[in-house]
Amino acid sequence: MPVVEVTDPGDPRLAAYTRLTDMQLRMVAEPADGIFIAEGEKVIRRALAAGLEMRSALMAPKWWPALAAVIPDAIPVHLAPPELLADITGYRVHRGALAVFARPAPPQPVDILQSATTALLLEDLVDHANVGTILRSAAGFGVDAVLVTAKCADPWYRRAVKTSMGAVFTIPWTVVPDVHAGLDAAQQAGFSSVALDPAGAMSLRQWRRAGPTMLALGTEGTGLSRAAREVIDVHVSIPMARGVDSLNVAAAAAVACYALTS
């Protein structure tokens, strides 16, 4: 296994790791290059356990003994002190290890819905951390599948992968062009649809799933689009108290995932 100590933040072998805080750069480069960045020992281990293809790794020397046994032979491993990692990436890598993986080919919606009974549809969420957290909640509560609209924050973006804690590798998910394509796919698979909507007439406390169901969540702040709300079968809300009008979408999703799978 080629293990190299690096000393130059401009080393061309580290191009995939540079300027990771520049969202615009990553959104352009990662899909074009067909890669994603996994951050942290646990996330790297989970990506490897899921059978994903590693291209290279960059880490502080103290993390190498813990990962040496699981990183495949012939994968380039670059070691750099924490200060140099920060120079390369543009931020302090608190978990000490990064790895580049190839993005797997996305499945078709029909393939992940055909054996599912519960699913989420995320419409145009803009925050990568929220998307990652929702995937983690969905996986943890046993949701079967997730559809993500094309304008949604990319689940393969570094922060989404990190906050999902590897759930992005294990829960079946794919991208659909828009919310109508997602709802159409769900309907064709025999799903009813439910909107999580602060203005929903039915309380989530009273709602019970009957048959295969897709739960739709909209973007932070404005929620689901009007076009989506007009065609969804049932609208439910989470009862709030003490003048709080709503929850963050990731927190609301966790509550709703529990209800969806109970």
Side-chain angles (χ1 to χ4, degrees):
M1 185 180 300
V3 179
V4 179
E5 292 188 10
V6 295
T7 58
D8 179 8
D11 190 321
R13 294 171 296 183
L14 307 178
Y17 300 97
T18 59
R19 297 180 63 200
L20 290 181
T21 57
D22 185 337
M23 185 178 299
Q24 184 175 6
L25 174 66
R26 299 315 305 166
M27 290 293 287
V28 171
E30 285 183 358
D33 293 342
I35 63 170
F36 71 89
I37 303 290
E39 180 176 352
E41 179 197 358
K42 288 183 179 179
V43 175
I44 292 170
R45 285 178 177 274
R46 289 169 184 173
L48 289 168
L52 297 177
E53 177 193 347
M54 179 185 277
R55 300 279 182 82
S56 68
L58 170 66
M59 67 190 72
K62 75 171 187 177
W63 291 102
W64 175 233
L67 288 166
V70 297
I71 293 180
D73 293 340
I75 297 299
V77 176
H78 306 95
L79 304 182
E83 297 77 13
L84 184 57
L85 286 179
D87 288 342
I88 294 166
T89 63
Y91 74 104
R92 184 159 292 279
V93 185
H94 295 292
R95 297 181 186 272
L98 300 163
V100 172
F101 285 85
R103 291 179 179 230
Q108 294 298 314
V110 64
D111 294 332
I112 65 173
L113 292 176
Q114 62 184 354
S115 60
T117 58
T118 57
L120 298 186
L121 174 58
L122 308 185
E123 183 192 20
D124 301 356
L125 275 67
V126 299
D127 187 280
H128 293 88
N130 281 339
V131 170
T133 302
I134 291 171
L135 288 172
R136 184 178 182 182
S137 295
F141 286 116
V143 173
D144 297 319
V146 180
L147 302 184
V148 177
T149 62
K151 291 184 179 179
C152 204
D154 184 1
W156 288 123
Y157 179 65
R158 178 184 59 83
R159 287 191 66 214
V161 172
K162 178 181 177 181
T163 54
S164 83
M165 286 303 295
V168 68
F169 312 139
T170 57
I171 189 168
W173 68 272
T174 196
V175 177
V176 291
D178 53 37
V179 71
H180 289 294
L183 292 170
D184 287 347
Q187 185 179 38
Q188 291 171 18
F191 281 66
S192 61
S193 56
V194 177
L196 189 61
D197 184 350
M202 181 183 292
S203 166
L204 190 62
R205 288 196 179 107
Q206 279 73 53
W207 177 79
R208 293 294 182 272
R209 177 170 62 88
T213 303
M214 173 169 283
L215 175 71
L217 298 104
T219 188
E220 301 88 337
T222 58
L224 285 164
S225 65
R226 180 177 178 180
R229 293 198 303 270
E230 287 177 347
V231 296
I232 286 175
D233 299 323
V234 179
H235 294 245
V236 299
S237 60
I238 298 174
M240 307 301 294
R242 295 185 174 87
V244 177
D245 58 355
S246 64
L247 298 175
N248 163 275
V249 66
V255 175
C257 284
Y258 176 80
L260 180 66
T261 55
S262 295

